Amino acid sequence: MHSSATVLAVVPARAGSKGIPGKNLRTVGGRSLVRRAVESARSAALIDAVVVTTDGDAIAAEARAAGADVVRRPADLAGDQASSESALLHVLDELEAAGDALPEVLVFLQATSPFIDPDDLDTAIRRVSEGHADVVFAAAPSHAFLWRVAADGSAVAVNHDAAIRPRRQDRAAEYRETGASYVMRTDGFRRHRHRFHGRVELIAVDPAGAIDIDDETDLIAAEATADATAEAVAPQITDHDPSPTRAAPALNGAP
């Protein structure tokens, strides 16, 4: 593992999946989901190293073939009830136990989001490394009218006044968390043990690519998106000399 990484990307990819068996090795545009996540991270200019944490031999082999390091995840952190945070903390603990320096910025990527833009990652990393935010996550803008079903079965407006129907262009956008990426200060994450801490910002990403793979229907939609945008061509990954981006203390301070 790269002990000098200032910006480390971690991709949790466990072998088990009830919704889609072998989900992380399913392909979109001719590339497995775990490979797509690793290659997006490796294409970002500001990411120094990429680690896949997994309990699966086939996923580990695919991750290494894509250019990532691998941390084997213990069984108690790979079940349905295990949190993503626990997998990230385990990677950091393994680094520390090996005597490696911890990264200043941690990039959490989910392989279930097949269209992660490296430029979006670099933008988020800059916000964190330059001290403007403690956490920056990917979100897609939305102008949807949301409703909730009440206990009596009636429909209740959530984010709007049902009696007022403004035009789309007259409504401020709201943002849907895509789950694709979370960039955070490592020290704050270890202290709070949660991906959201301190000053949180979002980076707006293209809604067309904000697909999260939960079932077979999502895979079909992702494949159609890949075909429509020529995503079947793998990103160009070039070796670069990582330039350490030393993070200044967050302006608001980490709580």
Side-chain angles (χ1 to χ4, degrees):
M1 199 176 298
H2 299 265
S3 61
S4 62
T6 301
V7 181
L8 174 68
V10 177
V11 182
R14 63 189 184 92
S17 173
K18 290 183 178 179
I20 305 177
K23 177 168 63 176
N24 286 307
L25 291 176
R26 296 291 293 272
T27 60
V28 169
R31 291 181 285 140
S32 70
L33 293 177
V34 69
R35 176 177 286 272
R36 294 180 73 94
V38 169
E39 290 181 345
S40 289
R42 293 189 63 214
S43 295
L46 299 181
I47 291 177
D48 302 311
V50 185
V51 168
V52 171
T53 168
T54 185
D55 60 324
D57 293 340
I59 292 174
E62 177 75 349
R64 291 189 180 98
D69 292 317
V70 172
V71 168
R72 298 308 298 249
R73 199 187 320 182
D76 62 327
L77 297 181
D80 291 339
Q81 302 304 315
S83 67
S84 297
E85 276 84 354
S86 68
L88 298 174
L89 289 165
H90 175 254
V91 169
L92 296 174
D93 289 345
E94 289 292 293
L95 278 171
E96 190 170 56
D100 292 333
L102 294 180
E104 294 184 9
V105 177
L106 182 66
V107 181
F108 165 30
L109 301 182
Q110 299 206 96
T112 50
S113 296
F115 303 107
I116 299 173
D117 188 335
D119 290 338
D120 289 340
L121 297 179
D122 283 334
T123 298
I125 291 167
R126 288 189 186 95
R127 295 297 297 173
V128 173
S129 65
E130 293 174 1
H132 302 296
D134 296 297
V135 180
V136 178
F137 69 97
S142 171
H143 290 83
F145 291 114
L146 299 180
W147 294 78
R148 180 182 296 116
V149 177
D152 64 358
S154 63
V156 179
V158 174
N159 65 340
H160 66 287
D161 182 341
I164 301 174
R165 311 298 289 182
R167 298 177 304 167
R168 183 181 189 280
Q169 57 267 39
D170 294 332
R171 299 181 65 213
E174 295 179 318
Y175 293 87
R176 173 177 63 85
E177 184 179 339
T178 69
S181 64
Y182 304 82
V183 177
M184 64 197 90
R185 291 184 57 84
T186 302
D187 55 356
F189 172 66
R190 292 193 91 196
R191 183 163 60 254
H192 295 281
R193 305 181 73 81
H194 195 277
R195 73 192 73 176
F196 294 113
H197 56 269
R199 177 179 170 83
V200 177
E201 295 183 354
L202 63 81
I203 179 171
V205 301
D206 185 356
I211 299 173
D212 184 46
I213 306 297
D214 283 325
D215 54 37
E216 295 286 347
T217 302
D218 297 325
L219 275 172
I220 293 171
E223 194 66 50
T225 299
D227 290 342
T229 59
E231 276 285 337
V233 178
Q236 296 297 313
I237 299 172
T238 57
D239 292 331
H240 59 275
D241 294 327
S243 298
T245 51
R246 296 294 173 185
L251 299 182
N252 62 302

